[in-house]
Amino acid sequence: MTGTLAPTKPLTAQDRCDRCGAQAYVRATLSGGADLLFCAHHGRKYGETLRASGAELHDETDKLTENRLRGDDHA
């Protein structure tokens, strides 16, 4: 075992923000291994604090821009 985190699977439309229930675009993996999911808004709000406490962040908020460019309003 190398001590690095295994790659996380991509977030889907079924993944919901633990704070508000919107679609999740950010996964925070805490130092103990638990995951928290956040929408883009809450990911920005709590991201720096989580990172400072040792959490690894997996950010897929770029999907929002990609969906807008394609004209997909379901993001």
Side-chain angles (χ1 to χ4, degrees):
M1 182 162 259
T2 64
T4 60
L5 290 175
T8 57
K9 64 181 180 178
L11 295 166
T12 68
Q14 288 75 37
D15 292 312
R16 310 314 283 178
C17 176
D18 290 324
R19 187 75 177 131
C20 70
Q23 184 173 345
Y25 288 96
V26 177
R27 175 185 288 116
T29 302
L30 306 178
S31 58
D35 286 341
L36 294 172
L37 301 178
F38 295 107
C39 63
H41 165 77
H42 287 112
R44 284 188 302 273
K45 184 173 182 177
Y46 300 115
E48 289 306 312
T49 302
L50 287 163
R51 188 175 280 126
S53 67
E56 294 285 333
L57 296 183
H58 174 78
D59 186 339
E60 295 184 9
T61 55
D62 58 327
K63 288 181 178 179
L64 291 166
T65 305
E66 291 171 8
N67 290 337
R68 299 270 187 260
L69 292 174
R70 285 194 327 257
D72 181 1
D73 291 334
H74 295 98

